[in-house]
Amino acid sequence: MSHEKAQKTQNEVPTGNASKSSITDEELAEAMRSEREELEETWARPSGVWGWFTDTDHKAIAKRYIVTAFVFFLLGGIEAALMRIQLAFPESHFLNPDRYNQIFTTHGTTMMFLFAVPIMTAFGIYFVPLMVGARDVAFPRMNVYGYFVYLIGGLLLYAGFFLNTGPDAGWFAYVPLSGPAYSPGKRVDIWAQMITFTEISALVGAVIVIGTAFKMRAPGMSINRIPLFVWAQIVTAFMIIFAMPAVMLASSFLASDRLIDTHFFNPAEGGDAILYQHLFWFFGHPEVYIIFIPALGFISPIIITFARRKIFGYVPLVLSLISTGFIGFGLWVHHMFATPIPQMGESFFTAASMMIAIPSGVQIFCWIATLWGSKLNIKTPLLFVLGFFAIFVLGGLTGVMLASVPLNLQIHDTFFVVAHLHYVLIGGSVFPLFGAFYYWFPKWTGRMLSERAGHLNFWLMFIGFTLVFFPMHQLGLNGMPRRVYTYLPETGWGTLNLIASIGAFVLAAGVLVFIVNAVWALRAGVVAGDNPWGADSLEWSIPSPPPNYNFHNIPVVQGRYPIWQATADAPIVRGLNTKKRETLVTSVMDAQPELRFDIPGPSIWPLMVALATAVTFIAGIFTPWAFLVGAILAGITLTCWFFADPNYENKSARETGEKSEKVAPRVELQPKEV
Amino acid sequence: MIETTRTIPRFILTLVVALCVSSCGGIQNAINPAGPNAENISRLWWLMFIVCSIVFVLVMIAVLLSLRQRTTEAADRVPLLQPSEESERRRRNVVISLTTITVIVLFVFLIASYSSGRSLRLNDPTKNGLTIELTGHQWWWEVRYMDVDASNIFTTANEIHIPVGVPVMFSLRGADVIHSFWVPNLAGKKDLIPGKISTIWIQADKPGVYRGQCAEYCGLQHAKMALWVVAEPQEQFNAWRQNQTQEAVAAASDTQKRGQQVFFSSTCVMCHAINGTPAGSNIGPNLTHIGSRHMLGAATLVNTRDHLAQWIKDSQTFKPGNRMPQNNLSDADLQALVEYLQSLQ
Amino acid sequence: MSTRAVIDITELPHHQFDTYDPVWWGNNLLLAIETSMFAILIATYFYLRQNFALWPPPVAELTATLKPLPLLTYGTLNTLLLVLSCGPMILTDRAARQGSRGVCQIGLVICVLCGLGAIVLRSFEFSAVYFRWDSNAYGSVVWFMLGMHLLHLLVLTTESLLLTIWIFAREFDMKHRVDIVTVAVYWYWVTAIWILLYAIIYYVPRLG
């Protein structure tokens, strides 16, 4: 596709490698025809049940993540509906306190660990390779491992829940309540080990995203041309790397206090209940940004596409993402203002918690500046983005209120916080997520979702959400604490609770409309071409759904908006093997071609290692010896993984037998325009 | 589409007004302050609420205004990659100004918050002041009034009396798990953490009853771990306190004596103390003056004969999972016990 | 007849040392994760220390010393062993880059032996701490530190052993030369982390 600037001069296009050559159109067409068949065979996905367990295609894994996470979203939503039914009337007997406590714990745990983080990871796994012009992610087998570990963790939690031995100490499980003395049985152990699974999965996803985004970008995609979606994923991935270890320690210390009598949190032997809070929230606060920042990466491409102009403030937007990531690590104590920690430190955390509003504000202003004066096509994705503005901004403002220590001491641990957190998480993440569903559904499936149903979906969700959560601000100020299975009629909280409960069903109806829309569209939706929205980024330059190998020829990128800025005479990358899975590895800053990287094919070993991990941590709920046995199993399966031939399934790999060990000479790229 | 973009603000406005009108009073309400701490915080709340509301409205107006130009053209119209220098410069200036305003507003909030926090910290509050040791249990409040003179120290449960206009120091402990002491009309909350001692001072400026509730999830009956703070004029408070330091009223009538017998021969004596009798267990709430308490079960039920009887017989119906067992007493025994307990004024 | 410019990457290698290779990034990101974990663990150590008037806490049976300090012998030996083992590892690293198989084979065998020695010494270090993991918070956190590092020693030694076997029995190709260089980075990291942990576990209690 070209536009009025299509006649960019040759010297502003990155020129090639040590060997720059040219090819006639006829020769190219000839090569493409036979190559396409070879590529399809080389990148063919294995079929059948065995195939499902061994497939390494990043798009397949990502779609699995999305479906699984969405199922957990629905389960979490059902839990929420049950809670709202119970709270609709004072002294209701719909749920007994034990059941309610398991439900609110499972709701929070499901939404935070089994839905929000995995689905954001999934979008990264699907789109980062496509947006940067790669044929696969950097570590495909690790990707498979990450998915299975996540699935097993989720199944573990729900096995516990459905057997009436689900965790009931809240999604952050404070000690001593969650400790051995006050939470007997295996409920909390199930929670603690589930954390391990989901945390391993997230860490693995993060390593993959960074590896792909840093090293596998198409030539020409220098660091200042990386799409904002990919920037958001990169920042999130780094946050995961530095935050997850804290929750790993928190849950491991808790599990070992419970299982083998350590005393990390036992005040009688020098342990400390507040230590747990520090460890958990050092992870917990970045966690919410891990959920939120990818959604910011959805908003930019949607705005760019529907405003049909370049984004205003690319650099401030990138810097805002990065600074949000940094500052996000300095806020955690604001969850602990009511504890007897030294007051001097509290002011620092107030200041940091308020300061983080600045980069968020900058992003909002830049987005509004992009929308302003542009002719907007208000399709469903953009509608959800507008919903984000309305809801997230309000949530961010209540966040600034919560940042203030004195005010926090009134509204902490009340329904005001429940309102705030849902405003920022649903407004800040779920609304953009639904926008992303409508936006990218055509790319995944080749079909468009219905716009009319989309608008209905949006309004039901928006109105339902407001009915549920706006009254909760008032309830918190009126003295209603969190995590209460019921309340007395004299408190007067009945009316607002009833409104909230009614709203829950409106919200649920909205989600239902989405499901119906998706199911219908899969069969009868309008067929989408490569680029139904006329968007600018590379994923829209390949068919919908993409072929297994993504790109036949790795493109050369000529600007921040690759499709819009592509010239007819842009070079293409030639030379990647079609008989063996390969993609191009380039340098971090300038995307200089560096390696032809072998991509492993399907393999059973990631599943095996996942099962070894499962044995370790599930049996570890019952006995510490599980760790020894599990370690041995993991060692064996990992050995097989790393020493198995990565292209084993791919017989033709053995036929090529080429080895090239020369070092790539340094290539000078011409200065290029952004 | 044009319709809906104008009805959104109207809808929101109606909702907001309706909700604000619904309740601004109440005895467990953070924005109905009855003491200096809550008053202080309430002022901060209104400042932030008003400023944040204005910011929200302005941002929404900006978003809505940016939607003025709409199109349904096909997706292949030429994208704007080279906007004019002037429009970009304008945008840059606006974004920089708005960011600056954001920083300033946040600074104002920071200072307001800091100065509010400073006034919440009382200097040397324990001099000649009343100190109460509050211990959180699953799922009730142990209240111990401290005094220099040991004979004035007494323990009660779930109902705290304080004199009006005087700061009262609370020393907070968690006996089992983390709880949180929160009486919204009077002050913000403070956690009771096992292994740590935290403190908070509270002052009521108006006489009245203020309801508080545990504000940190503490297990099965977190929802029904509430308490009353009764603020009364100094003389009334002194009288109440004087009465509380006395030992239990001796059983007078036959029924009361019978009730006392029932108390000692059932499981009651295993957990509950009645000062001046052999019952001295502090596992459960102290019952020395139970007759004069307004509520039962940590502010779950009003303290009437009927309720007390039902509570003793089967407290699990009101507060399932609480630590008190059912007591299968005969009707006569139960009535006698209730009679006795109600006499413990 | 029109032509298209082509960037021909046929001549590019498949593997390369250091930042060129995605494996370098994967390895270092995993090390970043583990470094964060140890940093937080160390913070936990100092946090818990605040709860103790005497660290480690006193024991009635030991009348000679008020505080049962961890014995220095095994820990110090272990530190020396690990630091010295970096020597052969550096030589192996260099040899892998230059392509000399023999040096790599010998170097790796020495390193594996050092790793095994470190694991054996570590098992003695646990009892040098005086307290068990379930005695008190001090015991819990120190055993956890020793244990997490032991886990890394085990993984490191096993990985080195498998690589050693491979380069004896199979090819000494570019892929495995890159793997050797990767293991070398891991080796240096395990040593560096240990030096930090050694200083903390053995000397912070001696600070008084």
Side-chain angles (χ1 to χ4, degrees), chain A residues 415-462:
Chain A
F415 265 80
F416 191 97
V417 176
V418 176
H420 162 73
L421 76 92
H422 286 92
Y423 263 81
V424 286
L425 286 174
I426 297 186
S429 286
V430 174
F431 269 71
L433 179 69
F434 272 75
F437 282 147
Y438 278 87
Y439 186 61
W440 277 298
F441 187 89
K443 181 52 56 180
W444 296 327
T445 63
R447 303 260 188 182
M448 308 289 288
L449 284 165
S450 151
E451 271 297 306
R452 289 189 59 197
H455 280 231
L456 179 63
N457 176 183
F458 170 78
W459 286 110
L460 283 172
M461 280 181 67
F462 186 84

Side-chain angles (χ1 to χ4, degrees), chain B residues 157-177:
Chain B
N158 301 324
E159 185 174 304
I160 303 175
H161 288 236
I162 57 175
V164 170
V166 170
V168 177
M169 203 56 191
F170 283 81
S171 163
L172 308 171
R173 293 156 172 72
D176 37 31
V177 300

Side-chain angles (χ1 to χ4, degrees), chain A residues 16-17 19-25 139 203 207 210 214-215 241-242 245-246 248-249 252-253 260-264 269-272 274-275 278-279 282 556 568 570-576 582 584-585 588 593-598 639 643 658 660-664, chain C residues 1-16 19-23 25-27 29-30 32-34 36-38 40-41 43-44 47-48 51-52 133-138 140-141 144 148 151 158-159 162-163 166 170-171 173-177 179:
Chain A
N17 202 324
S19 63
K20 180 197 160 189
S21 53
S22 62
I23 188 172
T24 64
D25 282 344
F139 311 111
L203 284 167
V207 172
I210 295 175
F214 273 19
K215 292 300 296 179
I241 284 176
F242 294 113
M248 177 244 155
L249 285 178
S252 300
F253 290 166
I260 56 174
D261 293 323
T262 50
H263 297 286
F264 291 104
E269 292 288 358
D272 201 309
I274 297 187
L275 172 63
H278 279 296
L279 289 171
F282 186 79
V556 171
I572 49 173
V573 174
R574 300 281 306 154
L576 277 182
E582 268 184 10
L584 183 63
V585 160
V588 176
E594 284 179 340
L595 297 179
R596 291 167 58 183
F597 191 59
D598 289 322
T639 307
F643 291 93
E658 30 145 316
S660 167
E661 309 206 348
K662 298 204 284 247
V663 179
Chain C
M1 182 169 117
S2 56
T3 60
R4 302 217 50 181
V6 155
I7 297 181
D8 187 348
I9 53 132
T10 330
E11 295 300 301
L12 288 181
H14 290 270
H15 301 281
Q16 192 49 265
T19 61
Y20 284 98
D21 204 312
V23 164
W25 289 88
N27 186 46
L29 287 169
L30 292 172
I33 293 169
E34 293 303 303
S36 309
M37 189 274 293
F38 277 110
I40 297 168
L41 187 50
T44 301
Y47 188 94
L48 287 171
N51 287 353
F52 288 76
W133 71 91
D134 58 357
S135 311
N136 48 43
Y138 166 83
S140 302
V141 75
F144 207 93
M148 287 308 294
L151 193 60
T158 312
E159 201 180 319
L162 290 168
L163 206 47
W166 185 281
R170 306 282 277 272
E171 310 97 53
D173 58 358
M174 191 59 177
K175 176 180 190 310
H176 293 93
R177 285 163 62 190
D179 284 346

